[in-house]
């Protein structure tokens, strides 16, 4: 059974506002978004019944759906940014997060042109991933060229500028992560002076344990040693759940369970950005999940988004970026992800 059956009023309004023709009242979200929203078996616990009924408050806040352009790097490299942005506009996206400002795009492009293209298609550049450090003194990283990184982010009008690199520059000891955290504080202060937020995007390794103190989870060191007013987090939800699978026990075998959502609920202000990617549970996989298109997996996004957006004052405080590291067909992934997330409903 398809997970998408009834019209999402917010999405219908959005597409109509952008001049989409032929959107009839009562058309399904699948019809709005094209054939890529193909029927899929409902995964347990995803709230499919609520979304299929089309009743209740949309879980996804208006104006907060983005996409990490790394997922569309094949299209950017062959078509260029303009056609890609045009497709994202059709699919109902509000924001884009960069993974570099060329991504092998067809022909050179300036930051001013890139900003204008996004604006022309109703997309807000919300963030960008930049490397943390390099052995090359001329590398485009925070450690080597902080001023240039921030100049470019400011030119694009970004509200957030961050890294997907883990804080492993000096190793995996507690002191090594304290040292990296202090550097992150420096980048955060510099970003704040420009009106931006510096953030770090996790993979699964951040949830491992310190090599010199296996009772200490490294992610907890990062949270404790970074200034909450200067350093923010972009939780990649898939990788957080993979981290839970990999590191639910300490090296000595004692239990050390954790729930990724709990980190957010304890300090929601520290998580302005999220990566929404999905996975099918697979204990035979080293990460515990096989990555799939959003809506085709077992991660309960109805529960996760609802828990965050129901917090007092937090509904519009976060940005949700769809992502798939290696989609089978990247435009199909983008369409399906938007359709699924717009379809999710919760009881009021």
């Amino acid at each position: 059974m398809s997970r998408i059956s009834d019209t999402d009023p917010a999405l219908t309004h959005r597409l109509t506002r952008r001049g989409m023709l032929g959107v009839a009242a009562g058309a399904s979200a699948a019809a709005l978004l094209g054939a890529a929203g193909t029927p899929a078996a409902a995964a347990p616990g995803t709230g499919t019944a609520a979304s299929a009924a089309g009743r209740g408050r949309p879980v996804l806040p208006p104006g907060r759906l983005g996409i990490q352009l790394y997922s569309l790097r094949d299209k950017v490299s062959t078509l260029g940014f303009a056609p890609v942005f045009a497709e994202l506009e059709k699919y109902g996206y509000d924001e884009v997060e960069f993974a570099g400002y060329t991504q092998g795009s067809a022909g050179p492009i300036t930051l001013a042109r890139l900003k204008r293209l996004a604006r022309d298609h109703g997309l807000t550049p919300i963030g960008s991933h930049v490397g943390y450090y390099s052995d090359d003194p001329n590398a485009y990283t925070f450690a080597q060229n902080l001023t240039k990184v921030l100049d470019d982010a400011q030119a694009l009008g970004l509200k957030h500028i961050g890294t997907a690199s883990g804080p492993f520059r000096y190793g995996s000891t507690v002191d090594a992560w304290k040292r990296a955290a202090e550097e992150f504080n420096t980048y955060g202060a510099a970003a704040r002076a420009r009106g931006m937020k510096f953030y770090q995007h996790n993979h699964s390794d951040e949830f491992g344990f310190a090599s010199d103190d296996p009772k200490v989870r490294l992610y907890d060191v990062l949270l404790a040693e970074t200034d909450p007013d200067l350093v923010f987090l972009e939780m990649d939800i898939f990788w957080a759940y993979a981290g839970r699978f990999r590191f639910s026990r300490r090296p000595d075998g004692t239990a050390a369970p954790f729930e990724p959502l709990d980190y957010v609920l304890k300090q929601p202000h520290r998580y302005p950005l999220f990566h929404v990617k999905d996975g099918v549970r697979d204990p035979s996989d080293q990460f515990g999940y096989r990555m799939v298109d959003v809506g085709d997996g077992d991660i309960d996004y109805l529960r996760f988004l609802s828990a965050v957006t129901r917090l007092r004052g937090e509904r519009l405080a976060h940005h949700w970026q769809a992502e798939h590291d290696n989609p089978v067909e990247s435009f199909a992934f983008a369409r399906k992800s938007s359709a699924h997330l717009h379809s999710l409903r919760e009881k009021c």
Side-chain angles (χ1 to χ4, degrees):
M1 180 182 72
S2 173
R3 297 177 185 226
I4 306 155
S5 62
D6 291 323
T7 303
D8 175 351
L11 181 57
T12 301
H13 171 76
R14 179 176 174 75
L15 295 174
T16 302
R17 176 174 57 82
R18 287 182 170 185
M20 295 292 289
L21 300 178
V23 178
S28 71
L32 289 173
L33 295 171
T38 52
T46 54
T48 302
S51 66
R55 293 186 294 271
R57 183 177 74 161
V59 171
L60 184 70
R64 291 297 185 270
L65 179 61
I67 192 165
Q68 167 51 256
L69 291 171
Y70 181 76
S71 303
L72 296 158
R73 60 194 181 279
D74 62 323
K75 297 297 192 294
V76 173
S77 66
T78 56
L79 303 175
F81 281 104
V84 170
F85 287 171
E87 289 299 303
L88 295 177
E89 180 181 18
K90 292 177 186 178
Y91 306 159
Y93 283 93
D94 309 291
E95 302 169 338
V96 289
E97 182 185 33
F98 292 98
Y101 306 129
T102 59
Q103 292 190 244
S105 61
I109 188 167
T110 65
L111 294 178
R113 171 68 173 158
L114 194 53
K115 181 180 180 180
R116 186 164 59 251
L117 282 175
R119 181 195 62 202
D120 290 348
H121 291 289
L123 298 168
T124 300
I126 194 66
S128 182
H129 286 184
V130 176
Y132 167 20
Y133 68 93
S134 172
D135 293 333
D136 178 1
N138 298 313
Y140 189 79
T141 64
F142 283 95
Q144 278 67 45
N145 277 291
L146 177 60
T147 299
K148 174 61 174 171
V149 167
L150 296 180
D151 284 346
D152 289 349
Q154 198 165 22
L156 274 170
L158 299 181
K159 298 177 181 178
H160 310 83
I161 180 70
T163 184
S165 302
F168 292 96
R169 182 179 188 182
Y170 304 107
S172 299
T173 66
V174 172
D175 284 344
W177 273 53
K178 287 182 177 181
R179 187 176 176 187
E182 189 55 39
E183 291 184 341
F184 281 12
N185 286 334
T186 298
Y187 308 150
R192 187 172 71 171
R194 307 274 195 117
M196 294 178 283
K197 291 180 178 180
F198 169 79
Y199 64 96
Q200 193 268 342
H201 163 286
N202 66 274
H203 291 88
S204 63
D205 287 338
E206 285 90 333
F207 296 96
F209 299 96
S211 58
D212 61 333
D213 190 346
K215 293 182 180 179
V216 175
R217 194 179 302 279
L218 289 169
Y219 195 70
D220 295 337
V221 177
L222 178 66
L223 285 168
E225 297 298 327
T226 50
D227 187 327
D229 293 325
L230 299 178
V231 177
F232 299 86
L233 291 307
E234 176 179 61
M235 178 174 281
D236 185 303
I237 299 168
F238 172 92
W239 288 121
Y241 277 95
R244 185 179 70 170
F245 173 83
R246 293 180 65 197
F247 303 110
S248 62
R249 291 187 177 277
R250 298 183 181 90
D252 64 2
T254 58
F258 73 93
E259 168 56 52
L261 179 58
D262 288 345
Y263 278 107
V264 182
L265 298 182
K266 289 176 182 177
Q267 299 187 71
H269 67 285
R270 298 207 71 178
Y271 293 89
L273 304 170
F274 292 90
H275 272 189
V276 179
K277 62 175 66 163
D278 214 342
V280 172
R281 293 186 189 91
D282 182 358
S284 68
D285 188 283
Q286 63 174 321
F287 298 112
Y289 291 85
R290 288 181 289 103
M291 199 176 296
V292 296
D293 290 349
V294 177
D296 288 347
D298 297 322
I299 296 178
D300 190 344
Y301 277 111
L302 176 62
R303 170 178 171 265
F304 198 104
L305 271 75
S306 295
V308 177
T309 58
R310 277 184 172 273
L311 293 172
R312 184 178 180 86
E314 297 293 328
R315 180 157 175 78
L316 296 176
H318 308 275
H319 305 264
W320 306 90
Q321 317 294 310
E323 188 186 31
H324 191 310
D325 291 356
N326 293 290
V328 173
E329 209 296 313
S330 56
F331 277 157
F333 157 74
R335 285 195 296 267
K336 183 185 293 183
S337 299
S338 177
H340 178 69
L341 292 169
H342 277 103
S343 77
L344 295 178
R345 293 290 184 278
E346 62 179 349
K347 293 181 180 180
C348 297

